[in-house]
Amino acid sequence: MEVALEGKKPDSIIREERPLVDKNVTYIENSVDMIDLNQRVVFTADGKKLAYDYIILATGSVPDPDSIAGLRAASLNFHTSTEDSLKIWDALQQFRKGHIVLGIAGVPHKCPPSPNEGTFLLDDYLRKSGKRDDAKITFVTPYPRPYPAEAMSKVVEPLFQKRGIDVVTFFNLESVDPTKKELYSLEGDTLSYDLLIMVPPHRGADVIIKSGLGDKDGWIPTDKYTMNVKGYDNAYAIGDCTDIPVSKTGVTAHLEAKVAANNIISSIENLGQTHKYTGRINCPFEMGSGKAAFVVGSYEKPVKEIHPSRIRHVMKRGFERIYWRSLTGNLDWLLDTYFGATDIVENSKPTVVSSK
Amino acid sequence: MQVPVAKPTTVVDSRGTMCPGPITDLFRAFRNSSIGDVIELWATDPAAKPDVQTWAKRSGNEVLAIIDENGYTKIQVRIVKKGTAR
Ligand SMILES: Cc1cc2nc3c(=O)[nH]c(=O)nc-3n(C[C@H](O)[C@H](O)[C@H](O)COP(=O)(O)OP(=O)(O)OC[C@H]3O[C@@H](n4cnc5c(N)ncnc54)[C@H](O)[C@@H]3O)c2cc1C
């Protein structure tokens, strides 16, 4: 998003994976062709067979612009790759005047705040570059309101209004005509555009679909508390690849990873403990003008209204600096402190049920 | 409390999911539906009822019944209008 709308260099957000992995982990760089949970084996693309006792699936989600007719040809987006994000930055440099439509082409998609965030950052860019007066911005969404959860929508709506951003709701994109530059919805509405930036609908990874482990969209049926793949004691799924009803974000992937890892430790060491994910979400939410909020909630407590502030923006950007170091788990004490301190919802610390 | 008026073509079980879970699940079913289909949404989230009603009104689809079961609500929607604005 920052590459697309702030002109950040892609190099600054990409790292080689191997050095980020803890040295006690054997890292195999290979593509997985098939996963057989019954036989407990993983087949790699180059024909190797890896047997396992426990497995954690973390195959992520795939933005799929081809699932909507005309979308790939018509729309730019900041979800498929940094190269595609750069295309938005280039298009904005060329843009002089007209109607920019930004929104959600289909659900689900990763990072629920990202379509709204993109709209705020687009407005910021146009203001800073002196082009805002010649641009009309429309945010388009299938949901009844600008942000799906009502509490945060109450924060977003007046800010969009203040910035002169139009909102079109209940627009489930059916197709796009790149020649006529028109969007058509399943609800029967038409919207024209000059520049189109739509977040594509996502699906599960190819390997999950090919291995027959997902539902019809490729999401893995997962126990929302224990993170077990349903029906398998020794298989877990975390992050974007699951079908559990929480946002697809890095923060949830992190919290779920700890639950899965602790349940595996408990099983190996016969501790008789079941660790449970509480559904805690904590999505950073850029709202323009150097301010940000967070979307915080859990299974038990719906999302609360949180207003943007400078300090939350600094926290978000600050975390980007320590993110890479946090991947080894060495900074978990810091992250745990953060999640504890921002525990504004009840019951949002991972819970442990002991049967001993 | 209403009684079911039609045999559902698709049942969407969104119980236990909070906003926007149920409406997201409904939209996924709507995308895969045909004219005449009846989608039956099961939801525990209280926002589901007003959200589905507003969506149906806006999109020209028909809420057939809203049934309060023990701890959740069943909402039946008949798809009478879908797409092709051109
Ligand atoms: C614009 C944007 C902004 C975002 N901002 C935030 C934010 O501020 N905070 C936040 O928490 N989240 C944010 N997210 C969401 C976050 O990036 C994802 O939710 C997160 O990366 C999910 O982690 P994951 O490990 O489940 O999947 P991924 O990070 O997608 O990793 C899955 C991995 O599996 C690999 N894989 C898949 N299939 C195979 C195979 N067959 N063989 C081998 N490897 C395979 C993939 O190559 C990939 O490396 C953002 C996302 C976007 C697009």
mmCIF file of all heavy atoms in Angstrom, chain A residues 1 111-121 139 146-149 151-157 159-160 282-288 290-296 303-304 306-309 312-313 316-317:
data_model
loop_
_atom_site.group_PDB
_atom_site.id
_atom_site.type_symbol
_atom_site.label_atom_id
_atom_site.label_comp_id
_atom_site.label_asym_id
_atom_site.label_seq_id
_atom_site.Cartn_x
_atom_site.Cartn_y
_atom_site.Cartn_z
ATOM 1 N N MET A 1 0.821 -1.202 0.000
ATOM 2 C CA MET A 1 0.000 0.000 0.000
ATOM 3 C C MET A 1 0.866 1.268 0.000
ATOM 4 O O MET A 1 0.568 2.221 -0.702
ATOM 5 C CB MET A 1 -0.890 -0.018 1.240
ATOM 6 C CG MET A 1 -2.068 0.875 1.146
ATOM 7 S SD MET A 1 -3.294 0.363 2.335
ATOM 8 C CE MET A 1 -2.324 0.319 3.836
ATOM 9 N N CYS A 111 -6.480 -8.325 5.139
ATOM 10 C CA CYS A 111 -6.382 -6.991 5.719
ATOM 11 C C CYS A 111 -7.650 -6.153 5.471
ATOM 12 O O CYS A 111 -7.651 -5.283 4.604
ATOM 13 C CB CYS A 111 -5.151 -6.259 5.191
ATOM 14 S SG CYS A 111 -4.757 -4.804 6.148
ATOM 15 N N PRO A 112 -8.712 -6.412 6.260
ATOM 16 C CA PRO A 112 -9.975 -5.694 6.048
ATOM 17 C C PRO A 112 -9.853 -4.165 5.996
ATOM 18 O O PRO A 112 -10.556 -3.523 5.208
ATOM 19 C CB PRO A 112 -10.847 -6.139 7.221
ATOM 20 C CG PRO A 112 -10.293 -7.455 7.614
ATOM 21 C CD PRO A 112 -8.805 -7.398 7.350
ATOM 22 N N PRO A 113 -8.950 -3.533 6.785
ATOM 23 C CA PRO A 113 -8.901 -2.065 6.671
ATOM 24 C C PRO A 113 -8.260 -1.573 5.366
ATOM 25 O O PRO A 113 -8.407 -0.398 5.024
ATOM 26 C CB PRO A 113 -8.035 -1.628 7.864
ATOM 27 C CG PRO A 113 -7.981 -2.788 8.780
ATOM 28 C CD PRO A 113 -8.109 -4.001 7.910
ATOM 29 N N SER A 114 -7.532 -2.455 4.645
ATOM 30 C CA SER A 114 -6.710 -1.952 3.543
ATOM 31 C C SER A 114 -7.472 -1.176 2.452
ATOM 32 O O SER A 114 -6.928 -0.182 1.949
ATOM 33 C CB SER A 114 -5.854 -3.069 2.930
ATOM 34 O OG SER A 114 -6.663 -4.088 2.386
ATOM 35 N N PRO A 115 -8.710 -1.538 2.083
ATOM 36 C CA PRO A 115 -9.396 -0.707 1.075
ATOM 37 C C PRO A 115 -9.667 0.717 1.589
ATOM 38 O O PRO A 115 -9.473 1.700 0.858
ATOM 39 C CB PRO A 115 -10.709 -1.460 0.821
ATOM 40 C CG PRO A 115 -10.453 -2.861 1.273
ATOM 41 C CD PRO A 115 -9.493 -2.748 2.408
ATOM 42 N N ASN A 116 -10.094 0.830 2.852
ATOM 43 C CA ASN A 116 -10.309 2.167 3.429
ATOM 44 C C ASN A 116 -8.994 2.922 3.563
ATOM 45 O O ASN A 116 -8.896 4.112 3.237
ATOM 46 C CB ASN A 116 -10.926 2.071 4.833
ATOM 47 C CG ASN A 116 -12.393 1.717 4.848
ATOM 48 O OD1 ASN A 116 -12.968 1.409 5.877
ATOM 49 N ND2 ASN A 116 -13.036 1.731 3.691
ATOM 50 N N GLU A 117 -7.958 2.204 4.039
ATOM 51 C CA GLU A 117 -6.642 2.838 4.221
ATOM 52 C C GLU A 117 -6.143 3.393 2.888
ATOM 53 O O GLU A 117 -5.656 4.522 2.804
ATOM 54 C CB GLU A 117 -5.617 1.815 4.719
ATOM 55 C CG GLU A 117 -5.846 1.314 6.125
ATOM 56 C CD GLU A 117 -4.735 0.354 6.535
ATOM 57 O OE1 GLU A 117 -4.766 -0.811 6.073
ATOM 58 O OE2 GLU A 117 -3.834 0.752 7.282
ATOM 59 N N GLY A 118 -6.290 2.551 1.831
ATOM 60 C CA GLY A 118 -5.848 2.975 0.499
ATOM 61 C C GLY A 118 -6.554 4.252 0.074
ATOM 62 O O GLY A 118 -5.954 5.152 -0.520
ATOM 63 N N THR A 119 -7.842 4.344 0.423
ATOM 64 C CA THR A 119 -8.629 5.523 0.026
ATOM 65 C C THR A 119 -8.132 6.776 0.757
ATOM 66 O O THR A 119 -7.992 7.846 0.160
ATOM 67 C CB THR A 119 -10.126 5.269 0.325
ATOM 68 O OG1 THR A 119 -10.472 4.014 -0.243
ATOM 69 C CG2 THR A 119 -11.000 6.353 -0.265
ATOM 70 N N PHE A 120 -7.851 6.627 2.058
ATOM 71 C CA PHE A 120 -7.317 7.769 2.821
ATOM 72 C C PHE A 120 -5.960 8.203 2.258
ATOM 73 O O PHE A 120 -5.701 9.402 2.089
ATOM 74 C CB PHE A 120 -7.142 7.395 4.304
ATOM 75 C CG PHE A 120 -8.425 7.430 5.102
ATOM 76 C CD1 PHE A 120 -8.904 6.291 5.725
ATOM 77 C CD2 PHE A 120 -9.140 8.613 5.243
ATOM 78 C CE1 PHE A 120 -10.079 6.316 6.470
ATOM 79 C CE2 PHE A 120 -10.315 8.661 5.989
ATOM 80 C CZ PHE A 120 -10.784 7.500 6.598
ATOM 81 N N LEU A 121 -5.097 7.226 1.963
ATOM 82 C CA LEU A 121 -3.755 7.572 1.467
ATOM 83 C C LEU A 121 -3.821 8.158 0.055
ATOM 84 O O LEU A 121 -3.023 9.025 -0.307
ATOM 85 C CB LEU A 121 -2.828 6.352 1.505
ATOM 86 C CG LEU A 121 -2.522 5.775 2.894
ATOM 87 C CD1 LEU A 121 -1.491 4.653 2.801
ATOM 88 C CD2 LEU A 121 -2.026 6.839 3.878
ATOM 89 N N PHE A 139 -15.511 5.464 -3.092
ATOM 90 C CA PHE A 139 -15.183 4.200 -2.440
ATOM 91 C C PHE A 139 -16.373 3.271 -2.642
ATOM 92 O O PHE A 139 -17.511 3.614 -2.335
ATOM 93 C CB PHE A 139 -14.924 4.415 -0.944
ATOM 94 C CG PHE A 139 -14.617 3.132 -0.224
ATOM 95 C CD1 PHE A 139 -13.374 2.528 -0.367
ATOM 96 C CD2 PHE A 139 -15.579 2.502 0.555
ATOM 97 C CE1 PHE A 139 -13.083 1.322 0.270
ATOM 98 C CE2 PHE A 139 -15.290 1.298 1.198
ATOM 99 C CZ PHE A 139 -14.044 0.709 1.046
ATOM 100 N N PRO A 146 -19.099 1.917 4.952
ATOM 101 C CA PRO A 146 -17.719 1.982 4.468
ATOM 102 C C PRO A 146 -16.783 0.960 5.105
ATOM 103 O O PRO A 146 -15.970 0.360 4.431
ATOM 104 C CB PRO A 146 -17.263 3.393 4.815
ATOM 105 C CG PRO A 146 -18.494 4.173 5.011
ATOM 106 C CD PRO A 146 -19.582 3.227 5.405
ATOM 107 N N TYR A 147 -16.860 0.760 6.448
ATOM 108 C CA TYR A 147 -16.092 -0.318 7.068
ATOM 109 C C TYR A 147 -17.088 -1.373 7.526
ATOM 110 O O TYR A 147 -18.125 -1.033 8.095
ATOM 111 C CB TYR A 147 -15.243 0.188 8.262
ATOM 112 C CG TYR A 147 -14.286 -0.898 8.720
ATOM 113 C CD1 TYR A 147 -13.129 -1.155 7.995
ATOM 114 C CD2 TYR A 147 -14.576 -1.709 9.809
ATOM 115 C CE1 TYR A 147 -12.279 -2.195 8.354
ATOM 116 C CE2 TYR A 147 -13.727 -2.745 10.178
ATOM 117 C CZ TYR A 147 -12.584 -2.978 9.441
ATOM 118 O OH TYR A 147 -11.750 -4.010 9.783
ATOM 119 N N PRO A 148 -16.790 -2.664 7.273
ATOM 120 C CA PRO A 148 -17.793 -3.690 7.565
ATOM 121 C C PRO A 148 -18.306 -3.691 9.010
ATOM 122 O O PRO A 148 -19.511 -3.821 9.228
ATOM 123 C CB PRO A 148 -17.079 -5.009 7.245
ATOM 124 C CG PRO A 148 -15.790 -4.674 6.585
ATOM 125 C CD PRO A 148 -15.585 -3.197 6.617
ATOM 126 N N ALA A 149 -17.417 -3.542 10.005
ATOM 127 C CA ALA A 149 -17.878 -3.528 11.400
ATOM 128 C C ALA A 149 -18.392 -2.125 11.736
ATOM 129 O O ALA A 149 -17.683 -1.129 11.544
ATOM 130 C CB ALA A 149 -16.753 -3.927 12.336
ATOM 131 N N ALA A 151 -18.940 -0.311 14.372
ATOM 132 C CA ALA A 151 -18.266 0.598 15.309
ATOM 133 C C ALA A 151 -17.156 1.387 14.599
ATOM 134 O O ALA A 151 -17.030 2.604 14.786
ATOM 135 C CB ALA A 151 -17.687 -0.191 16.475
ATOM 136 N N MET A 152 -16.355 0.699 13.775
ATOM 137 C CA MET A 152 -15.275 1.408 13.077
ATOM 138 C C MET A 152 -15.812 2.217 11.891
ATOM 139 O O MET A 152 -15.231 3.222 11.503
ATOM 140 C CB MET A 152 -14.185 0.430 12.621
ATOM 141 C CG MET A 152 -13.257 -0.008 13.730
ATOM 142 S SD MET A 152 -12.565 1.347 14.727
ATOM 143 C CE MET A 152 -11.368 2.050 13.617
ATOM 144 N N SER A 153 -16.947 1.769 11.346
ATOM 145 C CA SER A 153 -17.539 2.538 10.250
ATOM 146 C C SER A 153 -17.982 3.920 10.742
ATOM 147 O O SER A 153 -17.925 4.902 10.011
ATOM 148 C CB SER A 153 -18.720 1.779 9.648
ATOM 149 O OG SER A 153 -18.906 2.186 8.327
ATOM 150 N N LYS A 154 -18.391 3.964 12.010
ATOM 151 C CA LYS A 154 -18.784 5.256 12.603
ATOM 152 C C LYS A 154 -17.605 6.217 12.644
ATOM 153 O O LYS A 154 -17.764 7.434 12.684
ATOM 154 C CB LYS A 154 -19.301 5.035 14.029
ATOM 155 C CG LYS A 154 -20.712 4.550 14.063
ATOM 156 C CD LYS A 154 -21.191 4.520 15.498
ATOM 157 C CE LYS A 154 -22.542 3.811 15.577
ATOM 158 N NZ LYS A 154 -22.769 3.190 16.875
ATOM 159 N N VAL A 155 -16.397 5.656 12.679
ATOM 160 C CA VAL A 155 -15.186 6.495 12.679
ATOM 161 C C VAL A 155 -14.858 6.918 11.243
ATOM 162 O O VAL A 155 -14.537 8.075 10.975
ATOM 163 C CB VAL A 155 -13.993 5.717 13.305
ATOM 164 C CG1 VAL A 155 -12.724 6.544 13.271
ATOM 165 C CG2 VAL A 155 -14.327 5.273 14.729
ATOM 166 N N VAL A 156 -14.976 5.962 10.325
ATOM 167 C CA VAL A 156 -14.565 6.201 8.938
ATOM 168 C C VAL A 156 -15.521 7.159 8.213
ATOM 169 O O VAL A 156 -15.085 8.073 7.502
ATOM 170 C CB VAL A 156 -14.477 4.858 8.161
ATOM 171 C CG1 VAL A 156 -14.218 5.088 6.683
ATOM 172 C CG2 VAL A 156 -13.394 3.961 8.757
ATOM 173 N N GLU A 157 -16.818 6.944 8.415
ATOM 174 C CA GLU A 157 -17.821 7.658 7.625
ATOM 175 C C GLU A 157 -17.677 9.180 7.670
ATOM 176 O O GLU A 157 -17.591 9.824 6.621
ATOM 177 C CB GLU A 157 -19.218 7.236 8.082
ATOM 178 C CG GLU A 157 -20.086 6.888 6.896
ATOM 179 C CD GLU A 157 -21.378 6.173 7.312
ATOM 180 O OE1 GLU A 157 -21.312 5.262 8.174
ATOM 181 O OE2 GLU A 157 -22.410 6.531 6.766
ATOM 182 N N LEU A 159 -15.092 10.905 8.414
ATOM 183 C CA LEU A 159 -13.806 11.312 7.844
ATOM 184 C C LEU A 159 -13.869 11.307 6.313
ATOM 185 O O LEU A 159 -13.339 12.199 5.651
ATOM 186 C CB LEU A 159 -12.679 10.390 8.332
ATOM 187 C CG LEU A 159 -12.335 10.495 9.818
ATOM 188 C CD1 LEU A 159 -11.315 9.442 10.215
ATOM 189 C CD2 LEU A 159 -11.796 11.890 10.153
ATOM 190 N N PHE A 160 -14.526 10.287 5.757
ATOM 191 C CA PHE A 160 -14.729 10.255 4.295
ATOM 192 C C PHE A 160 -15.532 11.487 3.860
ATOM 193 O O PHE A 160 -15.214 12.138 2.875
ATOM 194 C CB PHE A 160 -15.472 8.975 3.887
ATOM 195 C CG PHE A 160 -14.566 7.793 3.584
ATOM 196 C CD1 PHE A 160 -13.209 7.829 3.855
ATOM 197 C CD2 PHE A 160 -15.082 6.641 3.006
ATOM 198 C CE1 PHE A 160 -12.380 6.733 3.572
ATOM 199 C CE2 PHE A 160 -14.268 5.542 2.713
ATOM 200 C CZ PHE A 160 -12.920 5.596 2.998
ATOM 201 N N ASN A 282 -6.222 -7.300 15.772
ATOM 202 C CA ASN A 282 -5.566 -6.041 16.125
ATOM 203 C C ASN A 282 -5.012 -5.422 14.832
ATOM 204 O O ASN A 282 -3.820 -5.404 14.621
ATOM 205 C CB ASN A 282 -4.431 -6.325 17.111
ATOM 206 C CG ASN A 282 -3.882 -5.066 17.737
ATOM 207 O OD1 ASN A 282 -4.373 -4.618 18.754
ATOM 208 N ND2 ASN A 282 -2.860 -4.481 17.125
ATOM 209 N N CYS A 283 -5.931 -4.980 13.960
ATOM 210 C CA CYS A 283 -5.479 -4.507 12.636
ATOM 211 C C CYS A 283 -5.144 -3.026 12.683
ATOM 212 O O CYS A 283 -6.019 -2.207 12.966
ATOM 213 C CB CYS A 283 -6.571 -4.684 11.590
ATOM 214 S SG CYS A 283 -7.403 -6.256 11.649
ATOM 215 N N PRO A 284 -3.894 -2.663 12.350
ATOM 216 C CA PRO A 284 -3.576 -1.244 12.231
ATOM 217 C C PRO A 284 -4.361 -0.636 11.085
ATOM 218 O O PRO A 284 -4.609 -1.310 10.079
ATOM 219 C CB PRO A 284 -2.077 -1.224 11.912
ATOM 220 C CG PRO A 284 -1.619 -2.616 11.925
ATOM 221 C CD PRO A 284 -2.792 -3.523 11.956
ATOM 222 N N PHE A 285 -4.771 0.619 11.235
ATOM 223 C CA PHE A 285 -5.705 1.227 10.285
ATOM 224 C C PHE A 285 -5.267 2.669 9.994
ATOM 225 O O PHE A 285 -5.555 3.567 10.776
ATOM 226 C CB PHE A 285 -7.104 1.195 10.933
ATOM 227 C CG PHE A 285 -8.272 1.399 10.012
ATOM 228 C CD1 PHE A 285 -9.499 0.812 10.291
ATOM 229 C CD2 PHE A 285 -8.170 2.184 8.875
ATOM 230 C CE1 PHE A 285 -10.596 0.995 9.467
ATOM 231 C CE2 PHE A 285 -9.248 2.375 8.047
ATOM 232 C CZ PHE A 285 -10.462 1.776 8.332
ATOM 233 N N GLU A 286 -4.538 2.863 8.888
ATOM 234 C CA GLU A 286 -4.117 4.212 8.485
ATOM 235 C C GLU A 286 -5.347 5.043 8.109
ATOM 236 O O GLU A 286 -6.186 4.566 7.327
ATOM 237 C CB GLU A 286 -3.205 4.144 7.247
ATOM 238 C CG GLU A 286 -1.845 3.564 7.481
ATOM 239 C CD GLU A 286 -0.916 4.511 8.237
ATOM 240 O OE1 GLU A 286 -1.294 5.679 8.513
ATOM 241 O OE2 GLU A 286 0.200 4.069 8.567
ATOM 242 N N MET A 287 -5.452 6.254 8.649
ATOM 243 C CA MET A 287 -6.607 7.081 8.296
ATOM 244 C C MET A 287 -6.190 8.416 7.699
ATOM 245 O O MET A 287 -6.936 9.401 7.732
ATOM 246 C CB MET A 287 -7.507 7.265 9.507
ATOM 247 C CG MET A 287 -8.166 5.956 9.896
ATOM 248 S SD MET A 287 -9.482 6.179 11.055
ATOM 249 C CE MET A 287 -10.147 4.536 11.146
ATOM 250 N N GLY A 288 -4.981 8.459 7.164
ATOM 251 C CA GLY A 288 -4.529 9.661 6.471
ATOM 252 C C GLY A 288 -4.048 10.740 7.416
ATOM 253 O O GLY A 288 -4.204 10.644 8.645
ATOM 254 N N GLY A 290 -1.267 11.349 8.557
ATOM 255 C CA GLY A 290 -0.338 10.877 9.584
ATOM 256 C C GLY A 290 -1.010 10.377 10.837
ATOM 257 O O GLY A 290 -0.428 10.405 11.920
ATOM 258 N N LYS A 291 -2.259 9.903 10.717
ATOM 259 C CA LYS A 291 -2.962 9.360 11.883
ATOM 260 C C LYS A 291 -3.443 7.940 11.580
ATOM 261 O O LYS A 291 -3.754 7.625 10.429
ATOM 262 C CB LYS A 291 -4.169 10.224 12.251
ATOM 263 C CG LYS A 291 -3.766 11.561 12.835
ATOM 264 C CD LYS A 291 -4.980 12.306 13.295
ATOM 265 C CE LYS A 291 -4.570 13.643 13.898
ATOM 266 N NZ LYS A 291 -5.737 14.444 14.257
ATOM 267 N N ALA A 292 -3.517 7.139 12.628
ATOM 268 C CA ALA A 292 -3.986 5.764 12.453
ATOM 269 C C ALA A 292 -4.813 5.332 13.658
ATOM 270 O O ALA A 292 -4.720 5.925 14.740
ATOM 271 C CB ALA A 292 -2.797 4.813 12.278
ATOM 272 N N ALA A 293 -5.622 4.293 13.442
ATOM 273 C CA ALA A 293 -6.371 3.660 14.539
ATOM 274 C C ALA A 293 -6.045 2.174 14.507
ATOM 275 O O ALA A 293 -5.189 1.743 13.724
ATOM 276 C CB ALA A 293 -7.866 3.893 14.336
ATOM 277 N N PHE A 294 -6.680 1.402 15.356
ATOM 278 C CA PHE A 294 -6.558 -0.057 15.316
ATOM 279 C C PHE A 294 -7.960 -0.651 15.355
ATOM 280 O O PHE A 294 -8.851 -0.077 15.976
ATOM 281 C CB PHE A 294 -5.758 -0.571 16.525
ATOM 282 C CG PHE A 294 -4.269 -0.349 16.391
ATOM 283 C CD1 PHE A 294 -3.671 0.811 16.869
ATOM 284 C CD2 PHE A 294 -3.474 -1.295 15.765
ATOM 285 C CE1 PHE A 294 -2.311 1.023 16.738
ATOM 286 C CE2 PHE A 294 -2.110 -1.097 15.630
ATOM 287 C CZ PHE A 294 -1.516 0.066 16.108
ATOM 288 N N VAL A 295 -8.141 -1.779 14.676
ATOM 289 C CA VAL A 295 -9.405 -2.504 14.805
ATOM 290 C C VAL A 295 -9.153 -3.634 15.795
ATOM 291 O O VAL A 295 -8.352 -4.531 15.528
ATOM 292 C CB VAL A 295 -9.882 -3.086 13.454
ATOM 293 C CG1 VAL A 295 -11.237 -3.759 13.619
ATOM 294 C CG2 VAL A 295 -9.933 -2.014 12.381
ATOM 295 N N VAL A 296 -9.811 -3.559 16.953
ATOM 296 C CA VAL A 296 -9.543 -4.512 18.027
ATOM 297 C C VAL A 296 -10.852 -5.223 18.402
ATOM 298 O O VAL A 296 -11.888 -4.581 18.565
ATOM 299 C CB VAL A 296 -8.964 -3.792 19.275
ATOM 300 C CG1 VAL A 296 -8.662 -4.786 20.374
ATOM 301 C CG2 VAL A 296 -7.704 -3.034 18.909
ATOM 302 N N VAL A 303 -15.950 -5.585 17.698
ATOM 303 C CA VAL A 303 -15.036 -4.458 17.465
ATOM 304 C C VAL A 303 -15.558 -3.186 18.129
ATOM 305 O O VAL A 303 -16.752 -2.900 18.095
ATOM 306 C CB VAL A 303 -14.900 -4.266 15.931
ATOM 307 C CG1 VAL A 303 -14.304 -2.932 15.570
ATOM 308 C CG2 VAL A 303 -14.105 -5.426 15.340
ATOM 309 N N LYS A 304 -14.618 -2.444 18.742
ATOM 310 C CA LYS A 304 -14.987 -1.199 19.422
ATOM 311 C C LYS A 304 -14.593 -0.003 18.564
ATOM 312 O O LYS A 304 -13.736 -0.114 17.694
ATOM 313 C CB LYS A 304 -14.244 -1.095 20.757
ATOM 314 C CG LYS A 304 -14.646 -2.124 21.767
ATOM 315 C CD LYS A 304 -14.949 -1.426 23.086
ATOM 316 C CE LYS A 304 -15.759 -2.229 24.055
ATOM 317 N NZ LYS A 304 -15.534 -3.639 24.110
ATOM 318 N N ILE A 306 -12.571 3.020 17.777
ATOM 319 C CA ILE A 306 -11.274 3.607 18.148
ATOM 320 C C ILE A 306 -10.949 4.708 17.141
ATOM 321 O O ILE A 306 -10.997 4.474 15.926
ATOM 322 C CB ILE A 306 -10.152 2.543 18.165
ATOM 323 C CG1 ILE A 306 -10.436 1.478 19.235
ATOM 324 C CG2 ILE A 306 -8.779 3.183 18.415
ATOM 325 C CD1 ILE A 306 -9.371 0.413 19.373
ATOM 326 N N HIS A 307 -10.633 5.884 17.656
ATOM 327 C CA HIS A 307 -10.415 7.027 16.767
ATOM 328 C C HIS A 307 -8.939 7.174 16.398
ATOM 329 O O HIS A 307 -8.065 6.764 17.157
ATOM 330 C CB HIS A 307 -10.976 8.294 17.418
ATOM 331 C CG HIS A 307 -12.473 8.272 17.429
ATOM 332 N ND1 HIS A 307 -13.217 8.851 16.430
ATOM 333 C CD2 HIS A 307 -13.347 7.665 18.270
ATOM 334 C CE1 HIS A 307 -14.508 8.618 16.669
ATOM 335 N NE2 HIS A 307 -14.606 7.904 17.771
ATOM 336 N N PRO A 308 -8.675 7.749 15.227
ATOM 337 C CA PRO A 308 -7.283 7.855 14.781
ATOM 338 C C PRO A 308 -6.478 8.843 15.625
ATOM 339 O O PRO A 308 -7.016 9.837 16.111
ATOM 340 C CB PRO A 308 -7.413 8.373 13.350
ATOM 341 C CG PRO A 308 -8.745 9.035 13.284
ATOM 342 C CD PRO A 308 -9.626 8.324 14.259
ATOM 343 N N SER A 309 -5.202 8.523 15.806
ATOM 344 C CA SER A 309 -4.328 9.449 16.514
ATOM 345 C C SER A 309 -2.934 9.355 15.904
ATOM 346 O O SER A 309 -2.603 8.381 15.222
ATOM 347 C CB SER A 309 -4.263 9.095 18.004
ATOM 348 O OG SER A 309 -3.538 7.900 18.165
ATOM 349 N N ARG A 312 -0.828 6.344 17.323
ATOM 350 C CA ARG A 312 -1.097 5.009 16.747
ATOM 351 C C ARG A 312 -0.412 4.876 15.381
ATOM 352 O O ARG A 312 0.040 3.790 15.006
ATOM 353 C CB ARG A 312 -2.604 4.777 16.625
ATOM 354 C CG ARG A 312 -3.268 4.666 17.983
ATOM 355 C CD ARG A 312 -4.665 4.067 17.896
ATOM 356 N NE ARG A 312 -5.223 3.984 19.241
ATOM 357 C CZ ARG A 312 -6.067 4.880 19.750
ATOM 358 N NH1 ARG A 312 -6.463 5.914 19.023
ATOM 359 N NH2 ARG A 312 -6.505 4.747 20.979
ATOM 360 N N HIS A 313 -0.344 5.991 14.659
ATOM 361 C CA HIS A 313 0.370 5.972 13.376
ATOM 362 C C HIS A 313 1.861 5.698 13.610
ATOM 363 O O HIS A 313 2.473 4.877 12.927
ATOM 364 C CB HIS A 313 0.177 7.319 12.666
ATOM 365 C CG HIS A 313 1.047 7.516 11.469
ATOM 366 N ND1 HIS A 313 0.741 6.957 10.236
ATOM 367 C CD2 HIS A 313 2.214 8.172 11.314
ATOM 368 C CE1 HIS A 313 1.695 7.282 9.371
ATOM 369 N NE2 HIS A 313 2.601 8.013 9.991
ATOM 370 N N LYS A 316 2.336 2.106 14.436
ATOM 371 C CA LYS A 316 2.246 1.226 13.257
ATOM 372 C C LYS A 316 3.547 1.270 12.455
ATOM 373 O O LYS A 316 4.129 0.243 12.123
ATOM 374 C CB LYS A 316 1.060 1.645 12.365
ATOM 375 C CG LYS A 316 0.920 0.654 11.226
ATOM 376 C CD LYS A 316 -0.008 1.044 10.122
ATOM 377 C CE LYS A 316 0.120 -0.071 9.057
ATOM 378 N NZ LYS A 316 -0.391 0.252 7.788
ATOM 379 N N ARG A 317 4.002 2.489 12.176
ATOM 380 C CA ARG A 317 5.225 2.615 11.365
ATOM 381 C C ARG A 317 6.457 2.120 12.136
ATOM 382 O O ARG A 317 7.389 1.588 11.551
ATOM 383 C CB ARG A 317 5.412 4.063 10.897
ATOM 384 C CG ARG A 317 4.258 4.587 10.019
ATOM 385 C CD ARG A 317 4.333 4.003 8.621
ATOM 386 N NE ARG A 317 3.076 4.195 7.894
ATOM 387 C CZ ARG A 317 2.943 4.880 6.760
ATOM 388 N NH1 ARG A 317 3.985 5.424 6.172
ATOM 389 N NH2 ARG A 317 1.767 4.994 6.175
#
